[in-house]
Amino acid sequence: MGVPCHVGIIMDGNGRWAKKRLLPRLAGHRAGMQRMLALVEHAFLCGIKNITVFALSCENLSRPQSELDGLFDLFREYFSTQMENLAQKGIRLRVIGDRALIPSDIADLIGAGEARTAAGDKATLAIAIGYGGRQDIVAACNRAVREQREMTVESFSETLSTGGMPALDLLIRTGDEKRISNFLLFEAAYAELIFSAKMFPDFTDQDFDEALKDYSARDRRFGRIRRQSD
Ligand code: IPE
Ligand code: IPE
Ligand code: MG
């Protein structure tokens, strides 16, 4: 089995990474953002065409305002400095999640970033911000009801905020927790799951390579007795 078409990463453990170093939680988020920049670049070089990273869940919006303000500042920094780099590399940016939940100036920066990178046809980077898998499914159901459309699995997939991206092949979660925390619930139906004990800022490119190796050794049967290709 070759490289996965679509990899999701739950970037967990920034706060504990900082705590261990007696640093404020926000220092962990900054280190996490820096790691994300390099890791995503590495993953694209490995030939992965679709990456979705979990940056902020709907549930995270219940965190103290001071932490959210720091995260929002990091998002502002990211979306105002990285778009040219993505565009140059032919990477299309998509941000999934409810934009009404985040400050409007960030929503504007995201809109500009998506427009700037819209022609990217080498790979897609989706960033989940203010995102919840259940919320996304319910929003898609409501859309279908409004439009009086009966759904198939395929058409429903297209109605989700990840519509147009392939189903998730590999889901990596760092931070030593073994749960999905409302990430890509529908999309992950047949994803291979890899849980790393490392906190996200410590998760190296080599760790990612090992996850790919682990993935490629797995026997994905999709309910069959043998692999589809066998
Ligand atoms: C993940 O790191 C980033 C976000 C959820 C925004 P955490 O902030 O959850 O880090 P821990 O789990 O407290 O270590
Ligand atoms: C999941 O991490 C969300 C992100 C990484 C953005 P959390 O730290 O919010 O997950 P729980 O609360 O431990 O399940
Ligand atoms: Mg966490």
Side-chain angles (χ1 to χ4, degrees), residues 12-13 16 63 173:
D12 191 24
R16 280 163 289 158
R63 290 190 180 189
R173 182 182 185 132

Side-chain angles (χ1 to χ4, degrees), residues 158-177:
E158 291 305 307
T159 311
L160 293 169
S161 62
T162 51
M165 296 174 85
L168 200 67
D169 292 313
L170 171 61
L171 174 58
I172 300 172
R173 182 182 185 132
T174 64
D176 207 18
E177 307 289 2

Side-chain angles (χ1 to χ4, degrees), residues 5 14 47-48 80 126 144 155 170 190 193 220 226:
C5 288
N14 295 345
I48 293 161
S80 37
S155 66
L170 171 61
Y190 254 109
L193 308 178
R220 300 186 80 195
R226 295 193 187 81

Side-chain angles (χ1 to χ4, degrees), residues 9-14 16 25 53-60 63 128 131 173-175 177 179-183:
I9 308 174
I10 301 178
M11 307 185 292
D12 191 24
N14 295 345
R16 280 163 289 158
R25 289 181 60 83
V53 293
F54 205 4
L56 190 78
S57 69
C58 292
E59 292 75 18
N60 291 149
R63 290 190 180 189
Y131 173 87
R173 182 182 185 132
T174 64
E177 307 289 2
R179 54 180 175 256
I180 296 182
S181 299
N182 204 15
F183 194 36

